[in-house]
């Protein structure tokens, strides 16, 4: 746990080539980010998506932006329409855009312009198995991932699923940015341990910003 440093200034923790953890980077903006999450969820509610293989994901998800990540019986895809509401996904809130831009600049990706933000909500026991973010057409763009709420153990490996894993605790306000050589590295979240967070209650939230459209 990193709570001993909760009152310290943000700092960078190198993770891999092209990847870094910006510790406490979003901490001062947490209240505003939680308000924005609620606004997004009011328009496109959280849901447990079902994988093409029929597995119901333990993490509840929603999206905002011109494109949203979703699933159907044919695979994983980005869609401009929320399949639950039949309406376009909500716009990315200004608070989301600002923290993403600032984190991308701090991590060395000043030209990153995301058009999709996947919002994950973890309850106790929820996890995200090792995977690569590879559904995007332009893999030159990085991933920006903001942690809020309860702490969780983040796993970060290599280009092969069998590569050794780093296991790092992520707490509220931590932002992970990876691109370049690390863009397709496997990563995941271990099962969330029970707890109560003063702002998030029993949950952990994660904002994952991506460029989901072709930049050309």
């Amino acid at each position: 746990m990193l709570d001993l440093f909760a009152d310290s200034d943000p700092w960078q923790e190198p993770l891999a080539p092209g990847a870094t953890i910006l510790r406490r980077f979003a901490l001062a903006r947490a209240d505003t980010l939680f308000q924005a999450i609620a606004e997004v969820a009011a328009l496109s509610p959280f849901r447990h998506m079902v994988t093409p293989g029929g597995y119901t994901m333990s993490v509840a998800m929603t999206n905002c932006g011109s494109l949203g990540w979703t699933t159907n019986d044919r695979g994983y895809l980005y869609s401009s329409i929320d399949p639950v509401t039949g309406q376009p996904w909500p716009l990315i809130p200004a608070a989301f855009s600002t923290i993403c831009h600032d984190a991308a600049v701090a991590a060395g990706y000043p030209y990153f312009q995301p058009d999709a933000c996947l919002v994950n909500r973890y309850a106790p026991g929820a996890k995200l198995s090792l995977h690569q973010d590879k559904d995007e057409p332009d893999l030159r763009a990085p991933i920006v991932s903001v942690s809020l709420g309860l702490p969780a153990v983040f796993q970060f490996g290599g280009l092969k699923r069998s590569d050794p894993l780093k296991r790092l605790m992520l707490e509220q306000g931590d932002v992970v940015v990876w691109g370049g050589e690390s863009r397709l590295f496997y990563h995941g979240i271990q099962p969330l341990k029970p707890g109560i967070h003063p702002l998030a209650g029993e949950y952990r939230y994660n904002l994952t910003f991506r460029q989901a459209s072709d930049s050309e």
Side-chain angles (χ1 to χ4, degrees), residues 36-89:
I37 289 172
E39 293 168 2
V40 168
L43 297 173
S44 284
F46 284 100
R47 76 291 307 261
H48 292 272
M49 297 184 186
V50 179
T51 69
Y55 171 74
T56 299
M57 301 181 70
S58 62
V59 178
M61 300 179 177
T62 187
N63 291 274
C64 55
S66 58
L67 293 171
W69 186 86
T70 187
T71 68
N72 60 28
D73 56 3
R74 295 183 298 276
Y76 305 104
L77 69 151
Y78 283 98
S79 171
S80 61
I81 300 297
D82 179 349
V84 170
T85 66
Q87 300 295 317
W89 297 102

